[in-house]
Amino acid sequence: MHVLSVSSLKGGVGKTTVTLGLASAAFARGVSTLVVDLDPQADVSTGMDVPVAAVNVADVLGSPKEKTVRAAITPSGWTRGRGGVVDVMVGSPAAINFDGPHPSVRDIWKLEEALAHVEAEYELVLVDCAPSLNALTRTAWAASDRVSVVTEPGLFSVAAADRALRAIEEIRRGLSPRLQPLGIIVNRARMQSLEHQFRIKELRDMFGPLVLSPQLPERTSLQQAQGAAKPLHVWPGESAQELARMFDQLLERVLRTGRVGEFATSEIPTQQPAGRLA
Ligand SMILES: Nc1ncnc2c1ncn2[C@@H]1O[C@H](COP(=O)(O)OP(=O)(O)O)[C@@H](O)[C@H]1O
Ligand SMILES: [Mg+2]
């Protein structure tokens, strides 16, 4: 089972968008997937067409017993009439109660403990994280073997990505040796924008192959699919399909990096020419 946290220490940069895109790619590929909605905003649950649930991720964080874990997991509405396994551990605003700045070690391992009960049922677990480095994100990372850092190509993106990578390294050293960065996913890139080109170059100069390809362009089709709570891969139009292929490539990268020690930067696909994204 691959467990990937989708993180950034900032809100609004595209964590949920990336989680939804990867979940859609996994669904299209027939990879049995669990999406854990750890953000108290619970946007990924909405995007995956899952109703508000009486038992949800907050209950799991309170007590990660098998019965509670199973009760908090619901099939995504995406699978209705289509089959396939894409489940959601349903999010809740109550998760905010577990986002304190000083979690105990026991709290930090609660998601890992919870996932152990259902580990045999999924090939992939995606965790949509809260935009901070408080307890929820650390709980997510302790349960993960990879973290992807999402960033926009903006003025502070290098600093933001750097902070996130350092935080991952700190957790790896102090808590969970298997944790590795998958890399930086650049979202909302406008390749016609000189400013964006400059920022992407800056990221590459600083982080080299940790800047993943392809970078995701800004597209309204993404928002439309999200608004309709449909997977991107079934959304009509060329723009949605172009993005779907990009998420296929990113998913490939997630599934290729397996166990500890397999992380090889030389495997990272070469950058695409900027024109492809324009
Ligand atoms: N590549 C993109 N193209 C167009 N809109 C995007 C893109 N990425 C994100 N958005 C939109 O920006 C908003 C914030 O993105 P979201 O994924 O919710 O960020 P986060 O989860 O990090 O807070 C959402 O309305 C989303 O639809
Ligand atoms: Mg979000």
Side-chain angles (χ1 to χ4, degrees), residues 46-254:
T46 310
M48 296 186 74
D49 195 6
V50 161
V52 174
V55 182
N56 55 54
V57 74
D59 301 288
V60 171
L61 295 172
S63 159
K65 288 198 293 271
E66 178 164 2
K67 202 167 152 233
T68 312
V69 172
R70 291 194 182 276
I73 294 176
T74 310
S76 163
W78 292 359
T79 58
R80 224 174 287 131
R82 287 202 185 91
V85 178
V86 183
D87 292 346
V88 181
M89 187 182 282
V90 186
S92 161
I96 196 83
N97 299 323
F98 297 88
D99 203 27
H102 305 296
S104 69
V105 170
R106 188 147 192 278
D107 287 340
I108 286 185
W109 289 105
K110 283 211 168 135
L111 184 60
E112 164 80 11
E113 212 179 314
L115 292 180
H117 298 302
V118 293
E119 172 164 57
E121 283 141 69
Y122 302 102
E123 289 160 82
L124 175 67
V125 178
L126 300 168
V127 188
D128 190 25
C129 290
S132 74
L133 193 55
N134 286 344
L136 285 174
T137 294
R138 282 184 261 175
T139 304
W141 290 2
S144 298
D145 30 51
R146 293 291 181 276
V147 184
S148 63
V149 176
V150 182
T151 187
E152 289 183 346
L155 178 56
F156 302 117
S157 50
V158 165
D162 192 47
R163 240 182 318 128
L165 289 173
R166 279 171 201 276
I168 294 165
E169 176 58 19
E170 203 179 300
I171 299 283
R172 189 184 70 75
R173 271 203 245 127
L175 198 70
S176 177
R178 71 181 165 141
L179 189 68
Q180 299 261 6
L182 179 81
I184 299 165
I185 296 177
V186 180
N187 182 38
R188 290 195 108 135
R190 276 178 273 115
M191 285 306 183
Q192 307 90 318
S193 154
L194 287 178
E195 164 69 12
H196 279 196
Q197 285 176 24
F198 177 81
R199 295 301 167 194
I200 291 171
K201 181 173 182 308
E202 198 176 46
L203 281 165
R204 283 195 196 132
D205 289 346
M206 179 89 178
F207 303 110
L210 272 181
V211 181
L212 299 181
S213 279
Q215 282 102 46
L216 302 166
E218 182 157 72
R219 291 282 188 275
T220 35
S221 57
L222 261 180
Q223 293 168 7
Q224 290 165 344
Q226 285 170 12
K230 296 287 183 208
L232 185 65
H233 285 64
V234 305
W235 198 253
E238 228 174 85
S239 156
Q241 289 320 300
E242 182 201 8
L243 273 157
R245 297 293 83 76
M246 292 179 169
F247 281 111
D248 290 342
Q249 289 179 52
L250 290 172
L251 178 69
E252 179 66 31
R253 180 93 186 96
V254 176

Side-chain angles (χ1 to χ4, degrees), residues 11-17 19 37 39 41-44 128-131:
V13 295
K15 289 178 294 299
T16 299
T17 297
T19 309
D37 190 354
D39 187 342
Q41 307 251 2
D43 293 334
V44 88
D128 190 25
C129 290

